[in-house]
Amino acid sequence: SQQGEEDPQALSIQEGENATMNCSYKTSINNLQWYRQNSGRGLVHLILIRSNEREKHSGRLRVTLDTSKKSSSLLITASRAADTASYFCATGRGSTLGRLYFGRGTQLTVWP
Amino acid sequence: NAGVTQTPKFRVLKTGQSMTLLCAQDMNHEYMYWYRQDPGMGLRLIHYSVGEGTTAKGEVPDGYNVSRLKKQNFLLGLESAAPSQTSVYFCASNQAGASTDTQYFGPGTRLTVL
């Protein structure tokens, strides 16, 4: 079964607004990753946060991880129409030979 | 570098037909994976391989077989296609080591089984 569960399932915002997506998981992890999928395309890695990290930034992306609550959030600041995509969290357990466990994703729509 | 490529991009099969999906990567990665993606279901792991000549079952292996005869290639076979196998199939790869398990994905194969 999937490891991560994203919330909300769909998010619709205006350009310039911030977008926040959440991910919850059930078991111990080694790291948590966020991926982006444009319509009809493969997934592209965005950012990875390790289990001993609490926050990480990359450009307009900010990821937080709370291992006590088994949850993570992805914040996209100053959203653009080009950010419209599905976003997936995936957890890595370290012991399972590179396997990742994906959630069902959040569909983000950014209106111009 | 082409990264991860998948062949074919689209395919329509009739129930009972067989086919093979090819995944190739030029990054010298040890690990390769086959996923299927269905609406509202995220990605589900079908089979994976941790090295040439090795394969293992994922979450949803029934009805599929795989082979990893060469390090750069990972083949997914459907022996007798069923409508339930209509899906988008993604291949991914990554390098060995828990600290580098970021996966690199191919563009996908859209399969329809009638």
Side-chain angles (χ1 to χ4, degrees), chain B residues 20-49:
Chain B
T20 300
L21 283 68
L22 171 63
C23 175
Q25 53 93 6
D26 61 2
M27 297 173 283
N28 202 36
H29 284 167
E30 303 293 333
Y31 301 158
M32 296 185 74
Y33 311 84
W34 275 107
Y35 295 92
R36 60 177 289 173
Q37 184 178 35
D38 302 292
M41 295 295 293
L43 281 92
R44 292 184 290 172
L45 183 65
I46 304 171
H47 286 280
Y48 64 103
S49 168

Side-chain angles (χ1 to χ4, degrees), chain A:
Chain A
S1 61
Q2 276 103 347
Q3 165 71 297
E5 292 293 337
E6 290 90 342
D7 171 64
Q9 290 186 344
L11 180 61
S12 186
I13 59 174
Q14 294 289 130
E15 262 192 334
E17 294 180 339
N18 295 341
T20 299
M21 289 160 268
N22 303 299
C23 172
S24 60
Y25 58 92
K26 296 177 182 176
T27 65
S28 296
I29 63 171
N30 175 275
N31 64 78
L32 187 143
Q33 306 179 31
W34 286 89
Y35 287 77
R36 166 190 170 131
Q37 183 182 33
N38 285 18
S39 180
R41 308 293 290 272
L43 278 71
V44 176
H45 178 257
L46 292 177
I47 192 166
L48 178 152
I49 186 166
R50 302 192 190 284
S51 59
N52 61 353
E53 297 175 314
R54 291 296 167 259
E55 187 171 315
K56 203 160 185 182
H57 296 255
S58 177
R60 293 185 296 113
L61 305 180
R62 172 177 169 255
V63 172
T64 62
L65 178 64
D66 186 336
T67 53
S68 67
K69 295 181 179 178
K70 292 186 168 56
S71 67
S72 172
S73 67
L74 171 67
L75 169 67
I76 304 175
T77 59
S79 296
R80 306 166 181 167
D83 294 328
T84 294
S86 291
Y87 292 83
F88 295 87
C89 70
T91 54
R93 299 178 185 174
S95 62
T96 47
L97 302 175
R99 279 185 66 173
L100 294 176
Y101 298 82
F102 286 85
R104 290 185 170 85
T106 292
Q107 171 61 51
L108 172 66
T109 302
V110 182
W111 298 100

Side-chain angles (χ1 to χ4, degrees), chain B:
Chain B
N1 285 352
V4 180
T5 57
Q6 293 183 231
T7 309
K9 290 184 169 52
F10 302 94
R11 186 73 186 267
V12 178
L13 291 178
K14 294 181 179 178
T15 297
Q17 288 185 319
S18 63
M19 78 163 294
T20 300
L21 283 68
L22 171 63
C23 175
Q25 53 93 6
D26 61 2
M27 297 173 283
N28 202 36
H29 284 167
E30 303 293 333
Y31 301 158
M32 296 185 74
Y33 311 84
W34 275 107
Y35 295 92
R36 60 177 289 173
Q37 184 178 35
D38 302 292
M41 295 295 293
L43 281 92
R44 292 184 290 172
L45 183 65
I46 304 171
H47 286 280
Y48 64 103
S49 168
V50 299
E52 184 178 317
T54 71
T55 63
K57 294 180 180 180
E59 299 174 64
V60 289
D62 293 344
Y64 305 95
N65 57 75
V66 288
S67 64
R68 183 98 180 267
L69 298 180
K70 294 182 179 180
K71 186 177 183 179
Q72 63 268 34
N73 295 338
F74 196 27
L75 279 64
L76 178 71
L78 285 72
E79 292 181 345
S80 179
S84 61
Q85 294 177 305
T86 293
S87 188
V88 181
Y89 292 86
F90 289 99
C91 176
S93 70
N94 59 8
Q95 189 55 280
S99 65
T100 57
D101 52 6
T102 297
Q103 292 187 8
Y104 297 83
F105 282 80
T109 294
R110 186 173 296 274
L111 175 66
T112 301
V113 182
L114 302 175

